[in-house]
Amino acid sequence: MDHSGLLAALIIMLFVFSVGAVPQLGGGLCAHLIQSAGFPCTEHRTKTEDGYLLGLQRVSSRSTIVRGEMGLPVLLIHGLFMAGDAWFMNSASQSLGFILADQGFDVWVGNVRGTRWSHGHVSLSVKNKEFWDWSWQELALYDLAEMIRYVNTITKEKLFVVGHSQGTIMSLAAFTKPDIVEMVKAAALLCPISYLDHITTGFVLRLVKMRVDEIILALGFHQLNFKSNIGTQIMDMMCDGHIHCDIWLSAITGKNCCFNDSRIDFYLEYEPHPSSSKNLHHLFQMIRKGSFAMYDYGMWRNLMRYSQPKPPVFDISQIPTSLSLWMGYGGNDGLADVIDVQHTLKELKSKPDLLYIEEYGHIDFLLSIKAKADVYDGMIRFFNSVQKVSSFK
Ligand SMILES: *[C@@H]1O[C@H](CO)[C@@H](O)[C@H](O)[C@H]1NC(C)=O
């Protein structure tokens, strides 16, 4: 991609970040994607400590026989600009959410604050800038913590967690907290991220270098919503003829091997979901500094907030070895780069089970047409082995 193209894209992106109401799709995620595929699904709602109302869906098998012996709960945590629908985008035999349900797991689908399947805030509206005053730090310590607590309370079981991308950042940060990790039996992390200083996608690096995150915040844009009126027009422009859409996705995530191009229109009915500018800024801080730390407010405000000039780090060596981990990562992933994954592995005290797929990009772990054989079957074997070991204890 040439420079003028990138520059134009940048200017366009600036306009995308306009404040707009989150468009409400009628009905919940259950009604949209899950029940129509024949799976029993119920909507749940819970409240975080800081007042956000999160939507969760509970999905079980199509087969009444499998349903009779409900397995352990699995909580699915989606990535950035996505929501719980991400796990149900392909057919029932291809999508992780459906596959886990049909295999007898008690599937819980998480949706973080600001996404279309969450339900706002007890007192703030999406039009308030305070509503968008958070980053993945709050998603980890409030949203994920609350979702885990909620599922644990209802099922009275320790749960499995599956995260993709930002969902793995949230998981790794949350698992450093003893009161959260004690409710989790094991976790499977797809495209695991804690360090981000080796990302390879030129487009993102350029945005980082041009400090687009800081510009957006300085201009007073707090919500990133590609489905606002202007956002939609720009998405249409960028995705003209769909081929460009694919190029854009590759430019941001790395080359995906096994994407089904004829489903792009369908994916775009749901994706992308909104997030906050502060979250983008926090992610870009990680790329610039190479640290896995809390949000950096600048020295003086850090002193007031954290009583130290630099933000405290999330020390992943604190994750207890009693938590079984499984990780899947790809050679073409532009965001969860192999060097950064190795950095994460070096810091962890435990030795996760690893699956490396040379040809996989960032989105393949979610949407590859052959992800079941490549990724999910192995993940399920891992969960079953953990379940077996612990039932003998
Ligand atoms: C790709 O998507 C199209 C449209 O939904 C579908 O008909 C086709 O079966 C999919 N291909 C594969 C290999 O899953």
Side-chain angles (χ1 to χ4, degrees):
M1 199 179 291
D2 67 60
H3 281 199
S4 56
L6 271 169
L7 217 64
L10 253 172
I11 293 159
I12 286 168
M13 291 211 34
L14 279 177
F15 284 103
V16 177
F17 304 123
S18 58
V19 186
V22 182
Q24 292 297 324
L25 295 171
L29 174 52
C30 279
H32 261 266
L33 274 175
I34 301 174
Q35 283 159 344
S36 54
F39 288 76
C41 182
T42 49
E43 296 282 349
H44 293 250
R45 176 190 291 228
T46 188
K47 189 179 83 185
T48 66
E49 248 175 64
D50 56 347
Y52 288 85
L53 301 169
L54 306 179
L56 286 145
Q57 294 78 32
R58 186 183 199 179
V59 188
S60 45
S61 172
R62 287 176 289 188
S63 144
T64 46
I65 300 159
V66 175
R67 246 182 359 248
E69 325 171 4
M70 183 81 90
L72 286 183
V74 183
L75 174 65
L76 306 178
I77 303 295
H78 60 83
L80 178 65
F81 298 130
M82 292 188 166
D85 44 68
W87 308 100
F88 301 92
M89 288 272 110
N90 283 339
S91 73
S93 57
Q94 293 171 328
S95 307
L96 183 64
F98 291 131
I99 292 169
L100 285 170
D102 265 349
Q103 294 269 336
F105 289 93
D106 179 10
V107 177
W108 291 81
V109 185
N111 301 278
V112 305
R113 63 185 64 183
T115 60
R116 244 162 285 145
W117 313 116
S118 61
H119 304 278
H121 186 274
V122 285
S123 59
L124 299 169
S125 130
V126 293
K127 298 205 173 84
N128 298 131
K129 74 174 192 194
E130 292 79 14
F131 182 94
W132 300 99
D133 186 16
W134 48 265
S135 73
W136 58 259
Q137 178 179 322
E138 284 77 18
L139 301 185
L141 302 180
Y142 294 116
D143 292 17
L144 181 55
E146 176 54 32
M147 291 188 275
I148 289 174
R149 192 203 57 75
Y150 184 82
V151 174
N152 179 253
T153 306
I154 291 200
T155 63
K156 303 191 171 54
E157 298 270 12
K158 282 194 179 192
L159 46 146
F160 295 130
V161 170
V162 179
H164 175 240
S165 189
Q166 177 180 269
T168 71
I169 303 182
M170 291 161 59
S171 299
L172 288 167
F175 295 161
T176 64
K177 307 292 172 193
D179 55 326
I180 301 176
V181 78
E182 71 178 13
M183 293 178 279
V184 181
K185 191 185 265 298
L189 306 180
L190 298 168
C191 314
I193 295 173
S194 62
Y195 297 97
L196 260 179
D197 44 324
H198 287 88
I199 66 160
T200 52
T201 76
F203 179 65
V204 175
L205 287 173
R206 188 159 290 256
L207 296 182
V208 169
K209 197 160 166 221
M210 296 189 73
R211 304 201 165 261
V212 167
D213 52 330
E214 290 168 16
I215 296 169
I216 291 164
L217 281 168
L219 290 175
F221 297 118
H222 300 282
Q223 177 190 359
L224 304 183
N225 184 4
F226 295 87
K227 292 222 193 256
S228 63
N229 291 338
I230 302 170
T232 306
Q233 284 170 26
I234 287 151
M235 286 278 292
D236 284 349
M237 225 159 77
M238 279 166 59
C239 291
D240 183 33
H242 302 156
I243 298 160
H244 292 97
C245 207
D246 211 4
I247 293 170
W248 274 102
L249 197 65
S250 298
I252 296 167
T253 66
K255 177 108 193 73
N256 296 291
C257 65
C258 309
F259 200 67
N260 186 347
D261 289 323
S262 38
R263 288 185 80 77
I264 288 180
D265 269 347
F266 176 71
Y267 298 150
L268 288 176
E269 280 178 37
Y270 295 93
E271 263 54 55
H273 289 258
S275 191
S276 73
S277 306
K278 185 174 179 179
N279 190 26
L280 189 76
H281 185 44
H282 194 177
L283 291 164
F284 280 17
Q285 286 179 349
M286 292 165 76
I287 298 172
R288 292 191 185 104
K289 294 163 197 274
S291 62
F292 187 44
M294 296 181 118
Y295 186 87
D296 190 348
Y297 288 91
M299 190 176 77
W300 294 110
R301 285 173 68 203
N302 286 342
L303 275 171
M304 289 193 311
R305 214 170 255 267
Y306 308 125
S307 308
Q308 57 187 70
K310 287 196 171 159
V313 297
F314 288 102
D315 179 2
I316 55 176
S317 73
Q318 297 294 313
I319 297 176
T321 50
S322 55
L323 178 77
S324 302
L325 287 172
W326 179 100
M327 291 181 177
Y329 62 113
N332 281 328
D333 191 335
L335 297 174
D337 185 81
V338 172
I339 298 175
D340 288 330
V341 172
Q342 276 157 1
H343 187 179
T344 304
L345 289 172
K346 218 172 94 196
E347 306 232 321
L348 281 171
K349 283 242 169 62
S350 60
K351 290 253 169 302
D353 288 9
L354 297 177
L355 170 73
Y356 173 69
I357 307 177
E358 182 84 43
E359 58 170 352
Y360 263 36
H362 200 69
I363 304 297
D364 283 320
F365 285 90
L366 209 55
L367 297 182
S368 159
I369 49 172
K370 48 198 194 74
K372 180 177 186 294
D374 289 346
V375 184
Y376 305 150
D377 286 346
M379 178 196 291
I380 289 168
R381 275 197 301 276
F382 162 75
F383 283 148
N384 287 334
S385 71
V386 171
Q387 194 160 358
K388 213 167 273 160
V389 169
S390 55
S391 64
F392 279 119
K393 269 184 191 159

